[in-house]
Amino acid sequence: MDDFRLLIDLHSEGHRQGPGGDRETRLAVELSGLREAANLKVADIGCGTGASTLVLARELDAEITAIDLLPEFLAKLDQNAEREGLAHLITTRSTSMETLPFAEAELDAIWSEGAIYNMGFEAGIKSWRKYLKPNGVLAVSELTWLTDQRPAELQAHWDKEYTEVDTASAKMAVLERLGFSPIGYFPLPEYCWVDNYYQPMRRRFKGFLDRHENSEDARAIVSTEEHEISLYESHKAFVSYGYYLARKVP
Ligand code: SAH
């Protein structure tokens, strides 16, 4: 099995495929001002197995299109939506976030938790903006420096892995430059990483390694994840995901 398949196997059993929390999705909904609106059309981009999609379906009066590259993740989302009686509100589409199946000005809101980095924050915002109605809401979480200064080891790691990591003020400036008016920001608290993402993933390591007969490739994946976890543990004062809410300037 190649690394890509192995990663899908490790992550598809997870409730989340990245740091986040139902409470934080609800906070973003609150800040979006959309709770009282009716008949919304919303996209959840890079939804994974749909932790945020299910919260949006419960909290908003909306038809939600949940987009992810991986049909394996969307199949889990479909199952969960069915089980929770939310399936009639959610349509899953397996496609790239770079070629979204929407018309211009079709959407009231675009949600995306821990996924826009796959395109890059700027490229994603530029390309998604047209699908929003005037005054439509963008809600994205994105890797963010929590402080002005940080340890060299951490800087070097992310300079290599994701060059767009930056402070919240710099991300807000990008949003403003690309035609959005920021309406909210909060950093994800530590439990969104540890309790909601890393610990459940760690509990899956043994079953994952057993399923793949402790293969070298499977062990390498576990060791990469362990490295990321320890990097986070050492440097959590300096880095998190920031949740950004912004309104499209007409
Ligand atoms: N929002 C989910 C998943 C975050 S992980 C959560 O917070 O739990 C990032 C997700 O982006 C993965 O599900 C991955 O399959 C998806 N992804 C990666 N590249 C993509 C692309 N080009 N288009 C659409 N989805 C993509």
Side-chain angles (χ1 to χ4, degrees):
M1 197 182 271
D2 63 24
D3 278 5
F4 189 60
R5 289 284 124 198
L6 285 170
L7 277 168
I8 295 173
D9 183 59
L10 175 62
H11 287 283
S12 63
E13 293 301 320
H15 179 57
R16 298 187 165 274
Q17 287 69 44
D22 288 5
R23 203 186 310 174
E24 286 61 35
T25 306
R26 285 197 296 272
L27 177 56
V29 166
E30 197 59 49
L31 293 169
S32 75
L34 293 173
R35 215 189 275 284
E36 269 71 52
N39 291 318
L40 298 169
K41 282 198 83 168
V42 175
D44 188 0
I45 302 176
C47 60
T49 59
S52 57
T53 319
L54 297 172
V55 174
L56 295 175
R58 274 185 230 113
E59 300 286 318
L60 295 172
D61 177 1
E63 242 174 58
I64 302 165
T65 308
I67 306 258
D68 203 279
L69 207 51
L70 300 179
E72 292 85 351
F73 290 171
L74 295 175
K76 298 274 176 189
L77 170 49
D78 284 329
Q79 278 170 19
N80 294 338
E82 196 65 54
R83 199 185 52 233
E84 299 199 19
L86 298 168
H88 60 294
L89 302 171
I90 298 169
T91 307
T92 53
R93 294 282 297 266
S94 167
T95 180
S96 170
M97 59 175 75
E98 302 189 38
T99 51
L100 293 173
F102 303 113
E104 278 192 22
E106 183 179 343
L107 300 170
D108 296 284
I110 292 180
W111 237 265
S112 182
E113 294 193 0
I116 196 171
Y117 74 89
N118 286 294
M119 265 185 92
F121 188 72
E122 287 212 30
I125 288 167
K126 266 189 204 147
S127 114
W128 300 350
R129 185 178 183 279
K130 58 181 168 293
Y131 304 116
L132 283 170
K133 292 177 186 167
N135 296 309
V137 170
L138 178 72
V140 293
S141 70
E142 160 81 345
L143 200 73
T144 297
W145 296 134
L146 302 179
T147 55
D148 183 51
Q149 307 282 324
R150 61 212 66 94
E153 181 200 13
L154 182 67
Q155 181 81 49
H157 173 82
W158 285 111
D159 281 350
K160 195 158 78 54
E161 297 293 325
Y162 185 54
T163 50
E164 279 186 78
V165 55
D166 214 332
T167 55
S169 55
K171 294 287 174 189
M172 299 268 193
V174 171
L175 285 164
E176 288 167 343
R177 178 156 52 74
L178 298 180
F180 284 88
S181 174
I183 55 174
Y185 164 76
F186 58 93
L188 292 186
E190 184 183 341
Y191 63 77
C192 287
W193 293 76
V194 177
D195 302 54
N196 295 357
Y197 181 52
Y198 286 147
Q199 279 174 1
M201 177 174 22
R202 266 201 167 132
R203 287 196 287 271
R204 297 195 302 273
F205 283 161
K206 182 169 183 313
F208 171 74
L209 290 169
D210 287 349
R211 271 197 305 287
H212 301 288
E213 295 167 336
N214 222 22
S215 75
E216 198 176 317
D217 289 348
R219 278 184 287 126
I221 282 177
V222 168
S223 130
T224 304
E225 300 285 10
E226 287 285 14
H227 176 70
E228 191 194 301
I229 295 172
S230 71
L231 194 80
Y232 175 75
E233 289 290 348
S234 319
H235 299 303
K236 58 196 169 197
F238 303 98
V239 67
S240 188
Y241 269 79
Y243 217 127
Y244 298 86
L245 288 115
R247 199 175 289 291
K248 178 178 175 175
V249 178

